[in-house]
Amino acid sequence: MIELPPQKYSPKNVEEKILQFWEENDIFKKQIDQRKGCTPYIFLEGPPTANGMPHPGHILTRVMKDLFTRYQAMNGHYVERKAGWDTHGLPVEIEVEKKLGLKDKQDVEKYGIKKFNDECKKSVFKYENAWVELTCRIGFWVDMDNPYITLKNDYIESVWWSLKQAWDKKLLYKGHKVVPYCPRCGTALSAHEIAQGYKIVDDPSIFVKFKLKDEYAYFLAWTTTPWTLISNVALAVHPDQTYIKIRLNGDVMILAEERASVLLKGEEYELLDGFSGKELEGTEYEPLFDFAKPEKKAWYVVLADFVTMEDGTGIVHMAPAFGEDDYNVGKKYDLPVVQLVKLDGTFPDEVTPWKGQFVKDADPSIIKHLEKRGLLEGIHKHTHEYPFCWRCDSPLLYYAMESWFIAMTKVQDSLVRNNNNINWYPEYLQQGRFGDFIREVKDWALSRKRYWGTPLPIWTCSDKTCKHQICVGSVEELRNLSESFPDNYDLHKPFVDEIVVKCPKCKSQMKREEEVIDCWYDSGSAFFAQWHYPFENQDKFKDNFPVDFICEALDQTRGWFYSLLAISTFLFDDRPYKNVLTLGLVLDENNQKMSKSKRNYVDPIIVLDHEGADSLRWYLISANAPWMSTRFFEQAVKDTLGKFILTFWNSYNFFTTYASIDKFDCKKDTIPIAKRQLLDKWILSRYNKVISNVRKHIEVFEIHKAARLVENFVIEDFSNWYLRRSRKRLWVEEKTEDKLAGYSTMYEIFLGLSKILAPLIPFITEEIYLNLRADDMPESVHLCDYLHSDDKQIDDELESGMEKIRDLVEVGRALRSKIGIKVKYPLSNATLVCDKKIEDSIKDLLDLLNEEINVKKISFERDTSNFMTKTVKPNHSKLGPKYKAKAKGIVNAIEELDSHQLYGDLTKTKKITVSVDGEDIVLTMDDFQIVESEKSHIARTETEDAVLLFDTTLTPDLEAEGFAREIVRRIQSMRKELDLDVEDRITVGINIDSEKKNALQKWQDYIQGETRSKELSFIDRPSGKLVKKWKIDELEVEIGINK
RNA sequence: GGGCCUGUAGCUUAGGUUGGUUGGAGCACCCGGCUGAUAACCGGGAGGCCAAGAGUUCAAAUCUCUUCAGGCCCA
């Protein structure tokens, strides 16, 4: 039984009601469970960090994840949706440090690692409620009762297992990583931290001479960090640049040709030799200082692509301990890492002249020293950006810290192969940003010298000679190695470090490497660690690997998308996911990135309260391709509500208003399609076409196209044409077959739309479905099967005929507007001039055209000649040159004549004579232009394939009919003013000029029928509940109505 | 600094692969009409150096290069 829904659509009320319905009836669980045993569609949730409030970007991700999983579930797949939480990492620690007022790592250790980590754990779930609420409110169906959480012992154990795999494959090793380091705070800073501490500073930049070992010549190098010269081990040149040897001021020097032309502009020098960078490779030079006694070979020329010709000399001094580029080159050439700076930023004792001095403060003294030795060629001031500690404002040093790595470079080929086996949406990321990243993959710096994270499970024997190392791969293994393993264990710091582990080789005590691991490794392990694989759920894992679908924003490309692939590749040598949808970023109204500090975004909750989740979802889905960035602001969602959601609702409301009055029963009252009107068949054809195309778009994640297609169908085809054209059918009071045919069609389409749109806008579709469903249908739209199109109902010819009719309506209305005869006033005749084919395609649909443009009769013709008339007018460009001064007189004379007659005469006699100033002039057809125009009372317009002609003669009968419609319109608006129900009957009294009254009387039945009046009288003083005076075309009318 | 993506009317956008009539829509605006779906509907109008510049071509929103602006990632 279809019920009358609320007239006014309140998103909040409807959505709250539906949320309650889902919860009370466990619909989400039923959607999953009813597909048990079906082909699974495996989704993996990229875990959000719940230590900050969700913002519009998170909403987009969650909406997209939701709609594709809902779609697959309705499509007959078993779609589990396990939620996940990312809980470790530096952002969490920073948040807690701020809260507790801790400034650096020393502060943390003073505070106590146990207490600190407790705070971290608490902080992680600080915003959990907000996340859960928002997730629920936007209708994202994900199982938040059984999430995977990266801080759980089981999860950590799975991560440990995977690290042990890496260890066994000899992929886990200890090396150096150059990081920005604050010597005062004694800590490395993350990229995110240094980004907020750049300042523009003046540093000395110096040109230093390095003497070649076997030759009296110098390499001229350039540096802005003189203090790193102490730890110099090599010089780098660009392999493809040209270097020259010159004599300048008595010295022989080598530098890049391109730089020489800039640096030595105007100076005189003698060119001695030239070579490519490549040829210089391996050339040895004498060290500037002898403080370092490196074990490996040092002090020779190496090649590096990053050497620029923008500044300097084209020869770069290399100190692998203090620069990432330097370090990487050093690794390639196996250079020693000379690190003559202590962790507090001062020089060690072996650097005798400057020992104990802060390195940057020693710069001037080092420069002086070089100058004294004659090794300084020049000194400049260099203005550049330099990072400072955001906490204590000390200048940061780049510093090679010991770190654990996973040797991704060793599995690079597999990475590339597995990546090529993934479907990327959009495709260009596969070989673009992501492919580039993988082709230049570096070893993964895994360890973090922090507290809140998965501890690195590597223990080293403390015996100086033994130094045995073990990577622990399970809790069981750790328990067996330790003497006292607690029952109630926690694998985090500091507990894990309190476990006493004995070396299996020498029985000495072992000590865990103090680091925790990169939290990206945690989340990248989700595809197996969420199942506690391999300790549990081995089958479950096998069934769920690789996953079908992951979806995150663009910034995850080198984050989670990479960490999943990296781990999956070295563990299983396979892709972890088959399809990856990358979403564009959500920006603010001015295309600026949303940031917490600028507060330039709307709180999603406000939008949800005002416009509702469906409008919000529809906006995000339809505004743009998923991978394009989308601007987000409340007005945009408001527009979406008005444009689509309300149109959809109003259409539905229109249908239910009538269907509920008539108690339409979808079981008993459905009319077979064959017996329905062409209009019904047409909308069903359009509808089925839409279904089939929507499916095609969704399959390739072009959800915006699917959404726009449906939107266009609902607004243009269904609401603005089909329903508008069907209104009259529903106004008849009896339950005619035609009315039921209309209901049947509308019912089918609303029910269908609720299913098609259910994954996209799950609330309003549920609301509609629940009202329309019959008892034998599933209890929720989300438990239905997604629709397949019925191609038998697609009729291209009918669609093309309707297209032509709609074109004709358009031009017909425009023409009416142009000739100034209102649509209320019927015209007696219209003619369509077109060919037979067109006529055939539209002749059965002509009633629609009749009604839309209000014409009594439409007939067909093959050409327009009966409606056109030819006249002539003087051809000025011919007459002018020929008759010069007389031309004006001739034109005047012609205009005196009747132009129709003139044309007739000209065609008959070929010439006419006019008299100008007493002179007879003979004119021929050549002197005229033929003009074709409509005969009087004919108006003409055309479409691409037809001409439409109106007979504009208004007879008194036609005028009376039009006037009757004017009256009806006034009464209707008065009914509405009284807020009457559609079925209410009224009595009407009209006071009107007697001449019009006579004309109107013929239309009395019509007026009464249209306005549901049981009585209509023409009286002088109308009375009733509402009495109004109207002015219709200068004529005063007074109408009174009563219920 | 490097790589990648994006830029079309006040706003949201189609078209761009495959160069080819006058660059289409919708919202908002103005005028007119219609209306028992009323935050709707119909007709008309106004609004575009297709970010800027250069090149290729008979022809460029479309292809190429440069610049500018915004974004993401990496330095």
Side-chain angles (χ1 to χ4, degrees):
Chain A
M1 188 64 211
I2 295 168
E3 288 183 17
L4 198 62
Q7 296 287 305
K8 214 175 151 85
Y9 177 70
S10 157
K12 204 171 177 220
N13 292 348
V14 168
E15 289 170 11
E16 274 168 5
K17 182 182 129 194
I18 298 298
L19 281 174
Q20 199 185 341
F21 168 78
W22 288 344
E23 190 172 339
E24 280 168 6
N25 297 285
D26 227 353
I27 304 296
F28 173 38
K29 193 162 179 293
K30 285 177 186 163
Q31 192 194 45
I32 299 173
D33 290 348
Q34 73 170 5
R35 306 293 189 189
K36 242 181 196 143
C38 302
T39 323
Y41 185 80
I42 303 146
F43 164 70
L44 180 60
E45 159 80 337
T49 315
N51 80 324
M53 286 295 280
H55 65 72
H58 297 116
I59 308 263
L60 172 71
T61 322
R62 292 173 104 60
V63 167
M64 290 292 176
K65 288 172 177 176
D66 184 58
L67 86 88
F68 289 108
T69 48
R70 280 179 189 264
Y71 169 76
Q72 294 297 347
M74 287 181 76
N75 243 328
H77 293 295
Y78 181 66
V79 191
E80 285 183 289
R81 281 152 271 182
K82 196 180 181 64
W85 298 111
D86 193 10
T87 53
H88 287 146
L90 194 63
V92 180
E93 294 195 30
I94 289 173
E95 183 91 7
V96 170
E97 282 182 5
K98 260 190 231 157
K99 185 187 149 199
L100 298 175
L102 308 175
K103 285 190 296 295
D104 50 33
K105 282 169 73 179
Q106 283 95 322
D107 278 2
V108 173
E109 304 208 357
K110 249 184 268 159
Y111 181 78
I113 295 173
K114 179 180 177 305
K115 270 161 73 194
F116 181 76
N117 274 359
D118 278 348
E119 285 295 329
C120 286
K121 193 167 176 176
K122 257 192 265 166
S123 141
V124 165
F125 292 106
K126 185 171 161 196
Y127 298 101
E128 195 193 2
N129 284 342
W131 274 84
V132 170
E133 193 198 322
L134 198 75
T135 302
C136 185
R137 187 69 188 73
I138 60 171
F140 177 28
W141 273 359
V142 63
D143 181 5
M144 288 184 290
D145 296 333
N146 304 294
Y148 68 87
I149 305 175
T150 58
L151 58 74
K152 295 272 182 185
N153 282 333
D154 282 354
Y155 196 96
I156 294 175
E157 187 181 26
S158 287
V159 170
W160 278 9
W161 166 81
S162 70
L163 288 169
K164 172 134 191 172
Q165 301 297 304
W167 176 267
D168 289 346
K169 292 176 184 176
K170 306 260 184 289
L171 294 173
L172 204 53
Y173 72 93
K174 197 174 196 174
H176 284 93
K177 183 176 169 58
V178 177
V179 289
Y181 174 83
C182 174
R184 202 207 63 83
C185 300
T187 182
L189 278 77
S190 69
H192 152 83
E193 287 173 294
I194 63 166
Q196 46 187 304
Y198 274 99
K199 283 189 201 171
I200 294 170
V201 291
D202 290 333
D203 271 330
S205 82
I206 55 173
F207 294 88
V208 187
K209 298 193 289 190
F210 289 80
K211 188 182 168 301
L212 272 68
K213 203 170 172 187
D214 303 320
E215 199 183 330
Y216 184 75
Y218 293 98
F219 286 118
L220 189 62
W222 181 78
T223 182
T224 57
T225 49
W227 58 271
T228 60
L229 289 170
I230 312 288
S231 302
N232 170 276
V233 295
L235 292 173
V237 298
H238 195 286
D240 303 327
Q241 292 289 334
T242 308
Y243 288 81
I244 52 172
K245 188 192 280 182
I246 58 169
R247 192 188 307 277
L248 177 70
N249 304 332
D251 273 340
V252 177
M253 281 187 287
I254 297 169
L255 74 166
E257 184 179 31
E258 198 179 324
R259 294 305 302 163
S261 64
V262 178
L263 296 170
L264 304 176
K265 214 171 182 179
E267 288 193 52
E268 270 183 35
Y269 58 85
E270 184 187 343
L271 183 62
L272 301 174
D273 202 355
F275 9 68
S276 73
K278 259 189 212 118
E279 292 172 76
L280 289 172
E281 187 178 19
T283 313
E284 293 183 49
Y285 63 89
E286 288 172 7
L288 280 188
F289 301 98
D290 55 2
F291 306 123
K293 309 272 183 286
E295 290 166 12
K296 297 172 179 172
K297 188 181 174 199
W299 302 309
Y300 57 91
V301 173
V302 297
L303 303 180
D305 286 330
F306 62 77
V307 174
T308 95
M309 296 295 133
E310 308 275 301
D311 45 27
T313 62
I315 299 177
V316 177
H317 127 75
M318 298 266 99
F322 305 109
E324 196 181 346
D325 284 336
D326 304 34
Y327 182 79
N328 290 333
V329 170
K331 239 185 119 187
K332 198 170 139 199
Y333 282 90
D334 198 26
L335 290 167
V337 177
V338 173
Q339 188 155 31
L340 290 174
V341 173
K342 293 199 292 185
L343 276 172
D344 63 0
T346 63
F347 283 113
D349 291 351
E350 57 262 51
V351 185
T352 35
W354 300 290
K355 70 174 181 188
Q357 266 196 59
F358 182 61
V359 291
K360 272 193 159 283
D361 296 339
D363 277 349
S365 162
I366 294 170
I367 294 169
K368 214 170 271 166
H369 176 93
L370 291 170
E371 197 174 9
K372 248 186 246 160
R373 290 167 57 192
L375 297 174
L376 195 69
E377 190 55 37
I379 174 162
H380 295 275
K381 202 171 71 180
H382 184 63
T383 308
H384 64 153
E385 282 197 324
Y386 196 84
F388 286 74
C389 178
W390 61 278
R391 274 188 280 236
C392 70
D393 218 29
S394 316
L396 300 179
L397 306 180
Y398 284 90
Y399 199 90
M401 309 283 277
E402 280 198 324
S403 179
W404 285 86
F405 288 83
I406 298 176
M408 294 313 300
T409 44
K410 287 193 185 162
V411 293
Q412 184 178 17
D413 292 347
S414 302
L415 280 174
V416 170
R417 182 166 24 83
N418 291 336
N419 179 42
N420 287 341
N421 211 7
I422 292 168
N423 297 316
W424 280 83
Y425 300 92
E427 205 192 332
Y428 56 73
L429 288 172
Q430 180 171 40
Q431 299 309 331
R433 180 186 290 205
F434 197 72
D436 289 343
F437 184 59
I438 281 176
R439 281 186 288 275
E440 291 159 30
V441 78
K442 304 219 168 78
D443 287 351
W444 185 347
L446 185 71
S447 57
R448 298 284 181 275
K449 288 193 169 49
R450 298 294 313 188
Y451 310 98
W452 180 239
T454 298
L456 189 67
I458 296 172
W459 272 261
T460 308
C461 181
S462 51
D463 185 274
K464 290 258 160 41
T465 50
C466 179
K467 281 187 179 172
H468 180 56
Q469 280 188 326
I470 323 172
C471 180
V472 171
S474 70
V475 171
E476 189 57 34
E477 191 181 342
L478 185 58
R479 183 179 284 128
N480 291 339
L481 284 166
S482 69
E483 291 179 327
S484 57
F485 194 82
D487 291 336
N488 234 339
Y489 62 91
D490 178 345
L491 296 180
H492 286 100
K493 277 162 88 81
F495 310 104
V496 69
D497 293 322
E498 289 162 4
I499 297 168
V500 179
V501 176
K502 289 278 172 192
C503 177
K505 277 199 173 159
C506 73
K507 301 292 171 215
S508 306
Q509 197 158 326
M510 299 189 90
K511 197 172 173 317
R512 198 184 64 83
E513 295 290 299
E514 59 180 2
E515 289 103 328
V516 296
I517 66 167
D518 183 3
C519 60
W520 285 111
Y521 192 97
D522 286 353
S523 53
S525 301
F527 67 98
F528 62 90
Q530 66 171 335
W531 306 119
H532 192 208
Y533 179 86
F535 307 101
E536 285 180 79
N537 299 315
Q538 299 222 5
D539 290 340
K540 182 106 204 171
F541 169 73
K542 273 183 198 111
D543 294 343
N544 282 274
F545 179 83
V547 304
D548 286 298
F549 171 59
I550 60 171
C551 167
E552 304 294 335
L554 183 66
D555 53 0
Q556 296 295 322
T557 316
R558 292 177 184 186
W560 195 54
F561 295 165
Y562 171 70
S563 64
L564 284 171
L565 177 67
I567 295 169
S568 173
T569 296
F570 76 71
L571 283 183
F572 306 107
D573 194 13
D574 200 354
R575 59 187 172 161
Y577 43 86
K578 296 179 192 164
N579 298 289
V580 51
L581 175 61
T582 309
L583 305 178
L585 279 291
V586 177
L587 305 174
D588 80 347
E589 189 162 0
N590 304 312
N591 248 323
Q592 301 291 311
K593 165 189 181 166
M594 294 185 175
S595 77
K596 270 189 193 169
S597 53
K598 277 196 250 164
R599 283 294 315 158
N600 59 339
Y601 59 87
V602 213
D603 184 349
I605 291 287
I606 292 173
V607 178
L608 287 168
D609 280 348
H610 294 175
E611 282 81 28
D614 284 332
S615 296
L616 174 57
R617 289 174 68 118
W618 192 257
Y619 170 68
L620 292 173
I621 291 166
S622 64
N624 237 328
W627 41 86
M628 302 269 279
S629 56
T630 302
R631 291 168 52 194
F632 181 79
F633 47 103
E634 189 174 5
Q635 187 58 42
V637 183
K638 204 172 257 171
D639 290 347
T640 304
L641 171 67
K643 186 176 157 199
F644 178 64
I645 302 290
L646 284 181
T647 306
F648 187 37
W649 180 264
N650 288 337
S651 314
Y652 163 70
N653 200 21
F654 169 75
F655 164 64
T656 49
T657 303
Y658 290 94
S660 63
I661 292 172
D662 284 323
K663 305 197 176 3
F664 173 75
D665 182 328
C666 66
K667 292 281 170 217
K668 288 185 231 141
D669 293 334
T670 299
I671 305 292
I673 290 172
K675 286 181 147 178
R676 298 186 204 171
Q677 275 198 26
L678 275 176
L679 184 66
D680 297 316
K681 291 178 182 160
W682 169 77
I683 193 70
L684 288 169
S685 173
R686 295 285 312 127
Y687 165 72
N688 280 288
K689 225 178 231 178
V690 165
I691 295 173
S692 120
N693 287 324
V694 162
R695 279 185 165 274
K696 281 180 202 152
H697 291 314
I698 295 185
E699 293 295 332
V700 292
F701 300 100
E702 297 195 340
I703 190 66
H704 60 304
K705 290 191 181 171
R708 288 169 185 179
L709 202 64
V710 180
E711 181 172 300
N712 188 58
F713 169 77
V714 168
I715 297 175
E716 293 302 325
D717 294 333
F718 188 58
S719 173
N720 291 352
W721 188 247
Y722 175 78
L723 287 184
R724 185 154 65 84
R725 288 312 324 148
S726 289
R727 275 151 72 178
K728 285 236 167 69
R729 304 162 73 185
L730 309 191
W731 290 348
V732 293
E733 288 183 48
E734 314 77 52
K735 264 183 147 181
T736 59
E737 189 176 272
D738 179 48
K739 182 153 105 175
L740 292 179
Y743 286 151
S744 306
T745 306
M746 291 172 203
Y747 179 82
E748 188 182 326
I749 288 177
F750 277 115
L751 195 67
L753 282 174
S754 75
K755 294 176 192 171
I756 296 171
L757 293 173
L760 288 77
I761 40 174
F763 296 96
I764 193 172
T765 48
E766 183 79 305
E767 167 74 18
I768 291 173
Y769 175 84
L770 291 178
N771 193 16
L772 301 185
R773 73 177 271 271
D775 293 339
D776 58 350
M777 296 178 191
E779 66 173 313
S780 156
V781 72
H782 303 289
L783 301 179
C784 296
D785 288 340
Y786 206 73
L787 286 183
H788 284 276
S789 64
D790 177 2
D791 293 346
K792 285 194 301 295
Q793 292 191 36
I794 293 177
D795 182 343
D796 286 323
E797 264 178 56
L798 177 57
E799 286 192 27
S800 117
M802 187 65 85
E803 186 86 37
K804 291 183 171 67
I805 288 287
R806 292 177 77 175
D807 287 346
L808 285 165
V809 168
E810 190 179 320
V811 298
R813 282 177 171 272
L815 181 60
R816 264 192 170 265
S817 169
K818 195 174 134 200
I819 61 180
I821 303 178
K822 293 202 246 175
V823 184
K824 276 204 202 79
Y825 290 82
L827 298 174
S828 57
N829 290 297
T831 307
L832 272 170
V833 178
C834 61
D835 64 30
K836 179 85 168 49
K837 226 179 105 197
I838 305 291
E839 177 180 342
D840 287 344
S841 76
I842 61 177
K843 64 170 188 258
D844 295 332
L845 297 166
L846 230 43
D847 287 349
L848 297 169
L849 180 57
N850 272 348
E851 284 184 27
E852 283 288 317
I853 58 178
N854 198 12
V855 172
K856 297 271 173 204
K857 190 169 149 264
I858 299 178
S859 40
F860 286 97
E861 293 274 353
R862 288 287 171 265
D863 68 79
T864 57
S865 57
N866 289 341
F867 304 90
M868 306 306 286
T869 174
K870 283 181 179 162
T871 56
V872 288
K873 64 176 193 185
N875 188 339
H876 295 263
S877 55
K878 285 275 166 60
L879 293 170
K882 206 155 141 193
Y883 298 104
K884 305 270 171 359
K886 282 180 229 155
K888 196 162 169 67
I890 296 172
V891 169
N892 287 340
I894 293 170
E895 272 163 9
E896 300 279 295
L897 304 168
D898 179 281
S899 59
H900 291 271
Q901 174 112 31
L902 193 56
Y903 177 75
D905 292 351
L906 272 169
T907 38
K908 256 181 263 154
T909 62
K910 307 288 179 211
K911 61 183 178 189
I912 60 143
T913 311
V914 291
S915 160
V916 178
D917 298 336
E919 185 186 346
D920 279 352
I921 294 173
V922 179
L923 299 171
T924 66
M925 200 58 122
D926 265 1
D927 301 312
F928 295 90
Q929 271 182 309
I930 299 172
V931 182
E932 204 180 25
S933 59
E934 298 86 35
K935 288 182 177 164
S936 63
H937 298 290
I938 296 292
R940 173 197 164 115
T941 184
E942 58 198 271
T943 64
E944 228 171 76
D945 27 40
V947 176
L948 176 63
L949 300 147
F950 286 162
D951 178 352
T952 60
T953 322
L954 270 183
T955 64
D957 272 354
L958 294 173
E959 286 204 49
E961 185 177 344
F963 196 77
R965 286 180 68 163
E966 299 270 20
I967 297 290
V968 167
R969 157 89 191 91
R970 288 350 184 251
I971 297 172
Q972 299 288 38
S973 87
M974 287 169 75
R975 280 188 65 118
K976 216 160 130 192
E977 201 171 318
L978 285 177
D979 207 19
L980 299 183
D981 282 339
V982 178
E983 309 114 286
D984 288 338
R985 306 246 157 211
I986 52 168
T987 58
V988 181
I990 302 175
N991 173 25
I992 193 171
D993 169 282
S994 65
E995 192 188 320
K996 278 282 178 200
K997 185 168 82 184
N998 291 339
L1000 265 188
Q1001 262 156 357
K1002 217 174 127 189
W1003 294 94
Q1004 183 160 349
D1005 287 349
Y1006 164 78
I1007 297 171
Q1008 280 186 247
E1010 288 291 304
T1011 58
R1012 299 208 175 200
S1013 315
K1014 46 188 189 242
E1015 226 184 289
L1016 169 67
S1017 49
F1018 292 96
I1019 48 178
D1020 289 344
R1021 286 182 165 274
S1023 60
K1025 254 196 184 152
L1026 182 64
V1027 180
K1028 269 191 129 168
K1029 278 192 178 154
W1030 299 90
K1031 204 164 186 181
I1032 306 172
D1033 293 338
E1034 304 300 309
L1035 190 74
E1036 297 238 348
V1037 182
E1038 194 175 15
I1039 303 175
I1041 69 171
N1042 228 338
K1043 193 175 151 183

